Amino acid sequence: MFGEGFLRTIEVAALALILALVLGIIFGVISTSNNKVMRGLARVYVEFFQNTPLVIQVFFMYNGLAIAGLRLSVFVIGVLGVGIYHGAYVSEVVKTGITSISVGQVEAAKSQGFTYIQYMRYIILPQTIKIVLPPLTNQAVNLIKNTSVLAMISGFDLMYVADSWASSSLDYGPSYVFAGFLYFMLCFPLATWARKYEERLKHKDTARIPFDPSEEAVTC
Amino acid sequence: MIKLQEVNKYFGDHHVLKDINLTVAEGEKLVIIGPSGSGKSTTVRCMNFLEAPTSGQVIIDGEELTQKNKIQLVRRTSAMVFQSFNLYPHKTVLENLTLAPIKLQKLTKEEAIKKARKYLATVGLSEKENAYPSTLSGGQQQRVAIARALATERKIILFDEPTSALDPETVQEVLDVMIKLSKENITMVVVTHEMGFARVVADRVIFMDEGRIVEEGKPEHFFENPSEERTKLFLSKILR
């Protein structure tokens, strides 16, 4: 039982992380563009999802959308809910990364004839990796832990399994301690890996990092 | 080749360029001098639309440069060398040179590398092709930046104070490369304080002050017998 819940948590977390990275990069890039409408759009997204509780967002998708006739599986709600919520935070991280790159880089790229999308992709975003990786890992760890919100809508994730195990066996202590241990086993290696990666980059200032968001997601 | 017509530029209330009219012929080496804040950098940056003029026209090869066509037109015609080099720090020297040719000019990797090596040889840095910019001296970085500009094989290269950020002992190596380039049929527009360079290389010198072109002429005229008071004053300060 715990095994299934654990796997479900990993699946939801992995897919939600990919979604959060994709949304975060898109909205992070948009929020640094010159277009006011686009910037406003990114602002609304970030403020809305950062300033309302994840639980309510997930309840809304579970109950609210169902009333509107859109019935999503708990799994999909987990991925969308957690992914969109953390996408807002990733967007802020990406934005900070982009604004920390010197304006000379953009000018060099423009003078060579790169378009906005092209210079973001080839020149600016790859340079932000070093800067955004530590806060991004924090996000990934938080994201994994936040998938436990699924327990509140019977998500069959690790937290839900712990809940039902505890209430049926009345072994509350061992059940939650074990669930906590499994979350730790997921999050701790990730945090450690990221710390080492960061150290390595610091030592090797000239390191070359390919920019591929999916690559980071897979490691979780 | 490049024509500025009645170009005015404001930054907020600040009137930086005042009715600039200027034509650069194909293959010409034009040097722009003047005190800081005189608008010379802005003039050059208008030539590739890094700054859009508030009014007036920039015409490249008979075609007016606009917000719409700037990327296409710039991509075909001009390259720029900056005061602070602006090499891409996450890429090797060779990759700095091949990025635009591969992504924008759709060269194959092999063709781009071949070209890049040729131009690295021109600036005398063949042995550095796998180095990262941060491991090079300022003078070397600027030579790579020049090679990067050459590698896109544009007809025009714009230089915005290319030696101002360099340590004095590395200025000459960059100037030597630029003097070498001036023998080619490339149109060069150079903003600089290096009067020795201007004297050797320039077909024409322009003196700017307070957003206006005050005087223009051959280098001999300029350095031996300038007609305007302000030019004389500036040169007396800078030549000493």
Side-chain angles (χ1 to χ4, degrees), chain A residues 102-116 118 121-124 126-127 205-209, chain B residues 45 48 50 71 74-75 78-80 82 86-91 95 99-100 103-104 132 134-135 148 152 154:
Chain A
S102 91
V103 64
Q105 291 292 310
V106 172
E107 293 190 339
K110 277 186 184 167
S111 78
Q112 288 204 296
F114 285 98
T115 63
Y116 182 72
Q118 284 172 330
R121 174 161 153 55
Y122 299 121
I123 294 155
I124 306 300
Q127 292 183 50
D205 191 35
T206 51
R208 233 185 120 210
I209 325 120
Chain B
R45 289 161 61 86
N48 67 356
L50 272 184
I71 286 175
V74 163
R75 209 176 273 185
S78 76
M80 190 161 203
F82 297 86
N86 298 347
L87 293 174
Y88 306 132
H90 60 304
K91 298 202 171 286
E95 289 166 338
L99 186 67
K103 299 296 179 194
L104 302 179
Y132 283 90
S134 60
T135 63
R148 178 174 70 176
T152 49
R154 311 274 167 77

Side-chain angles (χ1 to χ4, degrees), chain A residues 3-20:
Chain A
E4 259 174 61
F6 188 54
L7 267 183
R8 173 59 66 95
T9 288
I10 293 175
E11 284 166 11
V12 171
L15 290 174
L17 184 59
I18 293 172
L19 179 63

Side-chain angles (χ1 to χ4, degrees), chain B residues 89-153:
Chain B
H90 60 304
K91 298 202 171 286
T92 64
V93 164
L94 199 64
E95 289 166 338
N96 263 279
L97 268 65
T98 56
L99 186 67
I102 291 173
K103 299 296 179 194
L104 302 179
Q105 296 163 333
K106 303 294 173 200
L107 263 57
T108 65
K109 205 174 168 199
E110 290 70 35
E111 290 168 328
I113 288 178
K114 207 173 138 202
K115 244 177 215 172
R117 291 206 168 114
K118 174 176 145 200
Y119 291 113
L120 270 184
T122 307
V123 301
L125 285 173
S126 297
E127 77 282 11
K128 296 287 187 191
E129 67 171 52
N130 292 318
Y132 283 90
S134 60
T135 63
L136 304 179
S137 73
Q140 289 173 329
Q141 288 192 48
Q142 195 59 298
R143 281 149 69 198
V144 172
I146 293 172
R148 178 174 70 176
L150 289 170
T152 49
E153 303 195 319

Side-chain angles (χ1 to χ4, degrees), chain B residues 11 37 54-55 85 89-90 96 101 130 134 148 185 192 217 229:
Chain B
F11 289 121
T54 312
S55 68
F85 332 131
H90 60 304
N96 263 279
N130 292 318
S134 60
R148 178 174 70 176
N185 188 33
T192 187
E229 271 316 304

Side-chain angles (χ1 to χ4, degrees), chain B residues 110-232:
Chain B
E110 290 70 35
E111 290 168 328
I113 288 178
K114 207 173 138 202
K115 244 177 215 172
R117 291 206 168 114
K118 174 176 145 200
Y119 291 113
L120 270 184
T122 307
V123 301
L125 285 173
S126 297
E127 77 282 11
K128 296 287 187 191
E129 67 171 52
N130 292 318
Y132 283 90
S134 60
T135 63
L136 304 179
S137 73
Q140 289 173 329
Q141 288 192 48
Q142 195 59 298
R143 281 149 69 198
V144 172
I146 293 172
R148 178 174 70 176
L150 289 170
T152 49
E153 303 195 319
R154 311 274 167 77
K155 287 191 262 181
I156 306 165
I157 302 185
L158 310 170
F159 295 83
D160 187 4
E161 303 204 23
T163 58
S164 300
L166 296 175
D167 294 330
E169 71 269 23
T170 62
V171 167
Q172 199 53 46
E173 63 184 73
V174 172
L175 292 180
D176 287 343
V177 167
M178 290 171 66
I179 291 168
K180 192 166 157 192
L181 283 190
S182 69
K183 313 232 161 36
E184 312 279 324
N185 188 33
I186 303 168
T187 307
M188 289 167 71
V189 180
V190 186
V191 172
T192 187
H193 292 291
E194 296 293 335
M195 296 303 140
F197 170 80
R199 209 186 280 253
V200 178
V201 163
D203 295 320
R204 186 158 54 118
V205 179
I206 283 181
F207 173 68
M208 286 184 74
D209 193 20
E210 292 176 354
R212 286 182 205 283
I213 295 177
V214 176
E215 186 165 2
E216 61 174 281
K218 300 252 172 225
E220 307 85 66
H221 156 81
F222 236 90
F223 295 110
E224 277 142 40
N225 194 15
S227 21
E228 299 286 329
E229 271 316 304
R230 273 190 288 177
T231 317
K232 282 180 197 163

Side-chain angles (χ1 to χ4, degrees), chain A residues 84-97:
Chain A
I84 294 173
Y85 175 79
H86 280 281
Y89 285 91
V90 173
S91 157
E92 289 292 272
V93 171
V94 171
K95 181 184 163 190
T96 313

